[in-house]
């Protein structure tokens, strides 16, 4: 401990200690990058000066509407400028930002509004009906509703609630932001998708979000004035914090309401997008885009991909198109990405399968995190042999404060002094993590563990396969066997037997799927395939 | 304030809160960049794995030598690998790093050793005599001395003290670092140059140094694997924190014991240096280097310059040589640089005098700092009109804890809620700071303020002038008049009258120097011209 013999006069004071908060980034940008473009959405363009003024108005209007520090303000918005503004304005009035997934059902939205106790709900016109039905279904008091029409997307206002621009007009553009006095104060509340049981409310601190914004850019090779296409929904880990990070760099956020291949190619060509994050499914969408939607570009685009391990076939093809992909990994409980498959300088010559295999690893800790560990059942790190499996344990300043109003679940998640991720992985001798599977996705066939990820990686190499997911199917003889759900490319075709034979050539017998089901796969809003839904289909006799 | 209605279970714990410290960067690099080259010095090359092991040994050896947490360990070293190792190892044993300027006199070194209470002194063989004489002159108990010979520079050990490598050999390479439990703990102790009165011991925290390393790279456009030439002495603001920052990026530090034009050009050409910091005098040295010392390079080198406003003539010429220069500003009390003359995207077309004039500004706050202000005598910010002068006030996480064992001086420095820099500046409408002068360097002639910086800027445009400094000379009629001290380029010549006439063409009469003194200028170890010494010469009748 570095306390000196005499620390008299060496304490914290106004001059030398300021609580960390991502809000400081926009305050600085309003000073340093006032005329620089901050937000782009269709034909709408806003400078940092304008952005700051609108955020100040919104914060002030929320105070005027009776929002007190520590209260919750929710949003039900796609990636539109109002959602970006909410990311600063809600904390800037001392409140806690609760972004709600626009694809949830009425009952779940109602549960979240009740559980978080939202005082205000800012909702897009397209999702206003969902909002109103959810409010109808609430047990507690209804929030004030602010409606955000979307002219750029041709979504008109319904006109029965307070209009967003009218609400802003009630605010003071010179409003003094209410900044945290303690960086541990709560910044945002993000409900997990809740595939089992009720969703849990993950709480982020100002400190954690600040440190994530500072640790993210390094391996992403981000420097001044990036152009970031906001593909990750801002209601998912606050959109990987890109909106909070961009002002540090005088960066431009290009809002993306509907993620289509055309929208992405257009943004790269027309706005000069340099960076974006997206699930592997987004990369697949670009790879398989029809020729007429593609646009030529003369600059490198750096991509963070997360949400699922990127299949080797996807990596190979997207890199050939001029995208540089870094696989990152994290969970809602870790503010988003906390490990990165950092590409080493002496790996430059590695090509082909080996390159894709390395790129598919989850990698090493970001700078704001402690070194990664893989823990056995006793909470002891497993050997770094690339073979022994255990559960990934995460520790560092980008781990949540805990679950809101659920101290038992928080204590359980943090029991071994790490956040237990629920992901089963090996650690390679070089320290890189590689996920074998989600704990619950492991298939146990004849006593052998089968990694669904491995089987999926093989199937993705078949030229007709667009997407696939492998889950356990109960089997009298083997206990479980792998069952593949496959979505084919447009106009491609392959039969069940042919695909099983293709897999058998590349996999051990016990790993080879015993059944294949063709059809569109169910996905979450962030492009994750919903395996629980596939398991339900198996229970219902789909295969 | 963002405390939620119910914060039960949302407190800090081992999984979600880790004190910030630059030590974490090397611990991570030892994991992530184990085989990557970390330190280069002549023919010596060390990987991050080796670096980490040697640091662990040194920390362990210091504990073995009786160093307790919170005690001070001093160094008297040029920019050699042992000094880099000390930057991690001394805090890693819980002690506080006190780097002492190798160019100080015996009495001052003795004062610092007594005031800081160093338990151990790690000294280069070339400065061992200075060390031993200083210890002889101490009032308190003598520190243990560890001698660091320098084979690469041909500086042999004297052999009478414990040898550095022998000392390391007593340490355990598996030593568990003693990390801060509170990020406000003291990391290092840096004595100011003390041009008036006794030097003051500036104390840095682990938190402040960490945040400086994270805020520095952005405008410097630093990404993975930079090669940093360590020109700023590590005993000055801990070498601008480059050694603590490099591991975040897997960067390579190229040690520079003697800063010569040849050494800099060679490091750029042979080691691929991408970034370095240096005072304008270093840039001048490169500009004026003889042809045979210059080396061609095909890559851009990004330079931070600080210590004095870079003269326009210097900026123009160094940029023409392929260096990209950003002027940064700070003081020992602010961990080094805290403002940066960030070059705006829409300034790209600006060339010539206007470009140099903009680049010479001190600029805007780095991301780890609050917005800059210029305060009048009442502590109120002056208008941002580019004309009204005041004193720069600095606030943020890169402001010192305070002065060691001097709470009165600390309280005075922080009186208005800002650290008062002692620099007189204007703030432009775009928020950029521009220093008119050090408060004590302003010349008051006939009631008019004369900025010595402005007069120096004009003289530097004369083709024969290598360096110059303008100070006040007492005058019966005007109170003070400007007096110029000028160092000429090799084989160049100009007379006093000619230079005064040159200045008069470009300056108002009251700003024009009334006398010129030719000769080599006295400089500090960091290349700052010692104006107090020039004033002393005037008192002694030098002009």
């Amino acid at each position: 401990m570095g306390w000196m013999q005499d620390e008299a006069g060496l304490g914290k004071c106004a001059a030398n200690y300021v609580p960390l908060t991502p809000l400081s980034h926009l305050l600085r940008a309003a000073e340093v990058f006032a005329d620089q473009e901050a937000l782009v959405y269709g034909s709408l363009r806003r400078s940092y000066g304008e952005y700051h003024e609108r955020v100040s108005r919104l914060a002030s209007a929320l105070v005027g509407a009776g929002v007190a520090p520590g209260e919750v303000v929710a949003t039900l918005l796609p990636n539109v400028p109002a959602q970006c503004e909410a990311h600063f304005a809600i904390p800037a009035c001392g409140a806690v930002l609760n972004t709600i997934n626009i694809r949830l059902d009425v009952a779940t939205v109602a549960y979240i509004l009740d559980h978080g106790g939202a005082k205000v709900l800012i909702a897009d016109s397209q999702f206003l009906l969902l909002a109103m039905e959810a409010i109808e279904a609430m047990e507690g008091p209804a929030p004030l509703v602010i409606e955000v029409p979307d002219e750029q997307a041709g979504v008109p206002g319904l006109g029965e609630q307070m209009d967003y621009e009218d609400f802003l007009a009630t605010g003071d553009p010179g409003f003094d932001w209410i900044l945290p006095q303690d960086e541990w104060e709560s910044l945002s509340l993000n409900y997990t998708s809740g595939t089992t049981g009720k969703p849990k409310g993950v709480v982020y601190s100002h400190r954690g979000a600040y440190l994530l914004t500072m640790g993210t850019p390094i391996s992403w090779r981000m420097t001044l004035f990036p152009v970031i296409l906001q593909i990750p929904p801002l209601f998912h880990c606050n959109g990987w914090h890109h909106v909070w990070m961009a002002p540090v760099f005088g960066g431009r956020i290009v809002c993306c309401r509907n993620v289509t291949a055309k929208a992405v190619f257009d943004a790269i060509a027309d706005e000069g997008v340099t960076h974006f994050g997206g699930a592997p499914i987004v990369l697949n969408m670009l790879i398989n885009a029809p020729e007429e939607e593609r646009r030529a570009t003369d600059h490198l685009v750096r991509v963070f991909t997360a949400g699922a391990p990127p299949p080797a076939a996807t990596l190979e093809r997207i890199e050939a198109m001029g995208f540089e992909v870094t696989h990152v990994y994290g969970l809602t409980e870790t503010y988003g990405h906390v490990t990165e498959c950092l590409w080493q300088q002496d790996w430059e010559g590695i090509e082909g399968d080996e390159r894709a295999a390395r790129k598919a690893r989850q990698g090493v800790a970001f700078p704001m995190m402690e070194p990664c560990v893989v823990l056995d059942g006793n909470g002891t790190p497993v050997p770094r042999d690339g073979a022994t499996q255990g559960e990934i344990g995460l520790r560092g300043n980008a781990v949540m404060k805990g679950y809101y109003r659920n101290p038992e679940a928080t204590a359980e998640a943090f029991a071994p002094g790490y956040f237990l991720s629920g992901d089963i992985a090996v650690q390679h001798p070089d320290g890189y993590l590689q996920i074998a599977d989600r704990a619950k996705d492991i298939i146990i066939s004849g006593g052998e563990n089968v990694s669904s990820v491995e089987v999926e990686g093989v199937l993705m190499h078949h030229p007709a396969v667009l997407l696939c997911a492998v889950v356990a199917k109960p089997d009298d003889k083997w206990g479980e066997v792998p069952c593949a759900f496959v979505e084919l490319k447009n106009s491609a075709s392959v039969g069940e037997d042919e695909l099983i034979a293709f897999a058998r050539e590349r996999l051990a017998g016990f790993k080879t799927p015993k059944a294949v089901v063709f059809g569109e796969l169910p996905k979450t809003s962030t492009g994750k395939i919903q395996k629980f839904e596939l398991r339900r289909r198996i229970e219902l006799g789909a295969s």
Side-chain angles (χ1 to χ4, degrees), chain A residues 151-330:
Chain A
E151 205 180 301
Q152 296 292 332
V155 178
L158 307 186
E160 288 172 16
Q161 309 297 329
M162 166 68 92
D163 175 79
Y164 183 69
E165 293 298 330
D166 293 343
F167 187 62
L168 253 66
T170 70
D172 172 8
F175 175 74
D176 259 343
W177 294 16
I178 301 174
L179 296 170
Q181 293 177 25
D182 183 322
E183 62 201 33
W184 196 251
E185 288 171 31
S186 299
L187 169 69
S188 68
L189 175 63
N190 291 278
Y191 282 83
T192 56
S193 50
T195 53
T196 54
K198 292 289 187 191
K200 285 184 287 217
V202 172
V203 180
Y204 295 169
S205 71
H206 285 263
R207 172 186 171 93
Y210 177 95
L211 292 171
L212 193 103
T213 63
M214 299 307 281
T216 296
I218 292 163
S219 70
W220 214 359
R221 297 173 183 268
M222 188 175 283
T223 60
L224 282 176
F225 312 121
V227 183
I228 305 168
L229 181 61
Q230 186 65 46
I231 290 178
L234 283 155
F235 52 74
H236 185 70
C237 304
N238 296 113
W240 306 8
H241 290 37
H242 297 341
V243 164
W244 284 326
M245 177 180 64
V248 184
F249 294 87
R252 205 188 317 157
I253 292 282
V254 181
C255 292
C256 192
R257 182 183 179 113
N258 296 306
V259 181
T260 62
K262 184 172 186 317
V264 175
F265 281 117
D266 283 351
I268 293 168
D270 297 335
E271 299 293 342
V273 165
T274 57
H275 294 76
F276 68 82
I281 196 170
V282 173
L283 306 183
N284 260 333
M285 194 181 66
L286 300 179
I287 290 167
N288 296 304
E291 200 50 51
E292 65 272 18
E293 290 185 359
R294 295 169 186 247
R295 298 277 298 274
T297 174
D298 54 359
H299 68 275
L300 186 69
V301 182
R302 300 185 197 274
V303 179
F304 267 0
T305 194
T314 303
L315 283 170
E316 275 170 40
R317 296 180 59 196
I318 196 78
E319 289 207 329
M321 290 167 64
F323 294 77
E324 184 186 272
V325 179
T326 300
H327 179 205
V328 300
Y329 159 78

Side-chain angles (χ1 to χ4, degrees), chain A residues 72-96:
Chain A
V72 170
V73 174
T75 66
L76 197 65
L77 293 166
N79 285 352
V80 293
Q83 178 79 309
C84 300
E85 289 162 358
H87 270 67
F88 290 100
I90 292 171
C93 80
V96 176

Side-chain angles (χ1 to χ4, degrees), chain A residues 476-537:
Chain A
D476 289 341
K477 180 170 178 194
W478 302 107
E480 294 177 351
V481 291
C483 171
F485 287 78
V486 172
E487 188 173 328
L488 294 178
K489 291 179 190 167
N490 275 342
S491 75
S493 72
V494 62
E496 179 173 14
D497 291 347
E498 182 187 338
L499 202 53
I500 289 176
F502 177 86
R504 183 66 189 88
E505 279 175 36
R506 293 159 176 84
L507 287 169
F510 70 94
K511 295 180 177 178
T512 302
K514 300 300 174 293
V516 179
V517 184
F518 294 98
E520 193 183 347
L521 299 183
K523 299 168 200 88
T524 69
S525 57
T526 56
K528 279 192 194 181
I529 297 165
Q530 295 175 302
K531 287 197 175 175
F532 66 94
E533 170 62 21
L534 299 176
R535 285 192 201 93
R536 206 178 54 84
R537 291 185 191 174

